[in-house]
Amino acid sequence: MTEVFFYHLERRTLDDVLPELLTKTLERGWRALVRAGSAERVAALDTHLWTYSPNAFLPHGTAADGHAARQPVFLTAKDEGPHAANVIFFVDGAAPGDWAAPGVADRERVVVIFDGADTEAVAVARDHWKSAAAAGHAVTYWRQNERGVWAKLK
């Protein structure tokens, strides 16, 4: 059974949160796949992950960089998994077509990050929650408290 975490963004943006979550993933010795909603968003995330902090380095790549199988973090807008990622991050509306499919069900964790200010994104996340739970995954909901700390609510 795969753990599926839903991160509800209200106080910070994806650009703020994603580098932190990816860093924690790499600290566990895991590899990550980030699936975004468009090729343009992949390009923007690629640039952002190189420049988000002058004091940090987050190794990652895209198909344009080549060597996908060697990338600790791989960014894509396609339904692909070119390396053995332990965690898949779905951002900007991207999500699996089938929550029971091997590309999802055989991961350690799946993380869905959605914008709480976008009512459509919230509705879609609710549908994904139901689908993930129906597929037998352990689903949890994370929200930032007033101090900005992530708290597990369900």
Side-chain angles (χ1 to χ4, degrees):
M1 175 181 355
T2 300
E3 293 179 306
V4 181
F5 289 6
F6 286 81
Y7 280 87
H8 188 156
L9 299 177
E10 293 178 295
R11 302 183 191 296
R12 297 170 61 207
T13 68
L14 176 66
D15 286 351
D16 295 332
V17 170
L18 187 60
E20 293 174 5
L21 294 175
L22 289 173
T23 297
K24 288 180 181 182
T25 298
L26 295 178
E27 287 172 352
R28 286 180 155 229
W30 288 355
R31 295 163 58 98
L33 174 69
V34 178
R35 189 171 308 153
S38 69
E40 294 78 18
R41 186 60 166 141
V42 168
L45 287 172
D46 181 35
T47 299
H48 177 67
L49 292 177
W50 287 120
T51 61
Y52 78 97
S53 171
N55 302 321
F57 173 71
L58 191 55
H60 69 279
T62 68
D65 300 317
H67 310 290
R70 295 191 318 198
Q71 301 293 347
V73 175
F74 187 78
L75 309 173
T76 186
K78 297 179 181 178
D79 185 10
E80 64 181 343
H83 75 333
N86 305 88
V87 182
I88 301 176
F89 290 83
F90 290 104
V91 301
D92 290 338
D98 181 359
W99 283 93
V104 174
D106 60 356
R107 307 298 174 158
E108 302 278 339
R109 185 171 295 158
V110 171
V111 179
V112 177
I113 304 173
F114 64 98
D115 182 353
D118 181 338
T119 55
E120 184 177 327
V122 172
V124 168
R126 284 187 184 124
D127 288 342
H128 290 316
W129 174 283
K130 292 174 190 171
S131 297
H137 300 300
V139 294
T140 56
Y141 173 77
W142 296 81
R143 189 178 210 170
Q144 284 184 306
N145 64 22
E146 58 281 346
R147 294 186 324 264
V149 177
W150 288 104
K152 180 178 168 182
L153 300 180
K154 294 182 184 182

